[in-house]
Structures are given as C-alpha cells and as structure tokens.
Amino acid sequence: MATDDAGTAGPLADREWRLVREESLPGPMCMALDAVAAETAAAGGPRTVRVYQWNPSTLSLGYRNDPADIDWEYCDRESIDVVRRPTGGGGIYHDTRGDISYSTIAPAAELPGDLMETYELLCRPLFDACAAMGVSAGFAEESYPELYHPACYLRELHPAHDVVYRGRKLSGNAQYRRRDSVIQHGSLTYSATPERTLGCFVDPGLTPAEVRERVTGIDEHGEVTRGEAVAALEEALAAWAGAEEGTWTDAELERAEEIATGKFGSEAWNRDRVDPLD
C-alpha cells in the first residue's frame, strides 16, 4: 500500500503552481495541454504539475522517431493511437491501465540552464512518489546496452536521466526546452505490457521475456492499486511544487483543442514531423 508520505517541497515551491489531477484524454489533447500550460507559464500565469491517462491507449513517438519503424496496421487493428511528441527519445506505448503520465511546466528562467540539472530537480517528486509506494527508484547508476533503438524503454539506459528500480527501467522522462518555458513529461510504468509494446514496432527482434528483463512496473513490487499510484504521484508533485489543486480555464481548453486538432492530431505532424501550425 502507498504510505502517507507526500514528499518534500522543492526550491520553486514559493511560486504560484496548480495541480491538475489525472485526466483521461486522447493523445493529441495530452500533448496540446502541455503546450498550453507552457504558454500560460511564460505569460506570467501559474506553473503546472499534472497527471494524465492516455485514452485510448497510445504510442507516443519521440520527435525523431522514423515512421517506417512503426507497425501502423497493428496500431490501427488494436485501436492504439499514434501521436508524435515534441520531445526527443524513443516511442513509448502508453497503455490505458499500465501507464501513468505526468508533466511539469515552468518558465525557462526559473529552471537550471543545464539539462541534467533540470532532470535532477524535476524528477525529485517522481522519486518521492515511488518511495511512498515502497519502490525506491532512482537514476540508473550505470549504463545498460541498447536492445532496440526506436523504443524508449529499450534504448541504452543512461545514468543521467533514466529512472530504474533494481536495474530495470521504471520511468521514461523527456524535456522540451523553449526560449520562455520548459516542459518535462514522463511515463511511469504501473504495469508492464511487453507484448503490446513490441507489437507497435516493425520486427523489433525481441521476445516479451527479454523486454521484462529490462522493464518493470509498480504492480510487480507491492500491493498498490493504480488509483493509489496515481494519488501518490499527484501528492508528491503537489508537495514539491507547493501547488494548489486547479483546473484549466475555458480559454486554455479552447486553445488546446485548436492545437490538438491542428497539430497533434494531424498526419503531417505524426507521420512526417511537419507542424501545420508553424
């Protein structure tokens, strides 16, 4: 079971933050709300910590993922959406039950200019949440060899930003640094889904057993329900940021719908990496 330890306040807890509790959203809207939160923070509005569920299950591609590596027919047949992120890294299969995603969005001027320092700062509530669930995760202490480059969780594990538990990857995190804002979003594995993950790619050359040797989920290490895991992450984010529970404004939701439809839901962006709104 998750404990009552919500985590510790971070160095930015004296600023205005809002916590947006878990929403269940289509992939394009998941990414569009990150973009809108960045616009709000850059314009002097509240910074945002949020938790969300990709619904339907979604394969999120890293910015440079090659569409030729994706089994589009499998994704269509299995009702898996495909959405390209603005961040780097490999593709991540976000299972509706197996994945818990979060984002932290703040003005760029308030965060370290060094990428690795920012990871260390913004991953702290993730570590606090995992500890509250009895899973003491941390950055990898050594490098692990690459298994399959197109997939985030199967790339070489890097001590600087890959989050592991007992040598197996538990969370993938990436940053999108704009001139005026920073978005860090991450995927915390509640329950590993190696068969579905492999199915999203063309001939990855791995077995589900090999994937399980590299990837783990919270549910393997304690009796924590998904709801309890979500609550632990929300409370750790709120404690770290000193955040009040909040919501999106009507204007933000309208703007997010425009971005979701015009960019993140477009074939030009998801297949060809061409931003129709740019």
Side-chain angles (χ1 to χ4, degrees):
M1 298 288 290
T3 72
D4 292 330
D5 183 6
T8 56
L12 303 181
D14 59 343
R15 322 294 164 88
E16 181 188 5
W17 289 84
R18 64 180 167 186
L19 166 71
V20 180
R21 293 192 181 273
E22 188 184 50
E23 303 170 286
S24 184
L25 301 163
M29 196 63 170
C30 289
M31 293 295 89
L33 285 168
D34 272 0
V36 168
E39 292 176 353
T40 295
R47 301 137 195 83
T48 299
V49 286
R50 58 184 293 244
V51 178
Y52 49 98
Q53 175 190 53
W54 304 70
N55 189 10
S57 296
T58 302
L59 176 68
S60 75
L61 306 181
Y63 179 70
R64 298 192 181 279
N65 262 132
D66 187 341
D69 292 323
I70 308 308
D71 191 332
W72 297 89
E73 291 184 2
Y74 174 87
C75 292
D76 184 62
R77 185 171 66 251
E78 297 296 321
S79 299
I80 299 169
D81 280 0
V82 181
V83 175
R84 188 177 295 275
R85 305 186 309 269
T87 50
I92 301 177
Y93 170 65
H94 304 275
D95 185 75
T96 302
R97 176 180 178 273
D99 174 86
I100 301 168
S101 288
Y102 81 95
S103 297
T104 301
I105 301 105
E110 297 179 353
L111 294 171
D114 181 79
L115 183 69
M116 297 303 106
E117 288 182 21
T118 307
Y119 273 121
E120 291 179 8
L121 175 66
L122 299 186
C123 282
R124 175 48 51 193
L126 177 66
F127 298 154
D128 288 345
C130 290
M133 291 184 273
V135 181
S136 298
F139 292 121
E141 295 183 355
E142 58 183 297
S143 295
Y144 293 77
E146 178 173 285
L147 298 179
Y148 180 64
H149 189 73
C152 170
Y153 278 67
L154 303 178
R155 290 186 168 189
E156 177 186 2
L157 294 188
H158 195 290
H161 54 78
D162 280 315
V163 176
V164 302
Y165 178 66
R166 296 180 179 175
R168 296 161 71 196
K169 188 162 181 176
L170 184 68
S171 174
N173 300 272
Q175 287 178 31
Y176 180 46
R177 303 178 71 92
R178 301 163 21 142
R179 180 180 57 82
D180 53 9
S181 59
V182 173
I183 298 168
Q184 177 166 304
H185 53 202
S187 167
L188 173 63
T189 303
Y190 173 71
S191 184
T193 51
E195 294 85 0
R196 298 270 284 180
T197 295
L198 291 174
C200 292
F201 298 94
V202 175
D203 192 23
L206 294 169
T207 66
E210 289 173 307
V211 175
R212 286 194 178 276
E213 289 179 1
R214 171 62 60 88
V215 180
T216 191
I218 294 291
D219 68 343
E220 290 186 49
H221 307 289
E223 296 182 4
V224 179
T225 67
R226 187 183 183 282
E228 290 169 338
V230 168
L233 181 55
E234 290 173 343
E235 296 315 306
L237 287 166
W240 177 86
E244 298 289 336
E245 185 171 347
T247 59
W248 307 106
T249 67
D250 290 343
E252 285 178 316
L253 290 173
E254 182 178 350
R255 172 68 173 146
E257 289 284 0
E258 293 175 358
I259 297 173
T261 301
K263 177 178 178 176
F264 291 110
S266 72
E267 187 166 304
W269 172 254
N270 292 321
R271 294 239 186 191
D272 302 323
R273 211 173 70 213
V274 174
D275 185 351
L277 301 183
D278 191 357

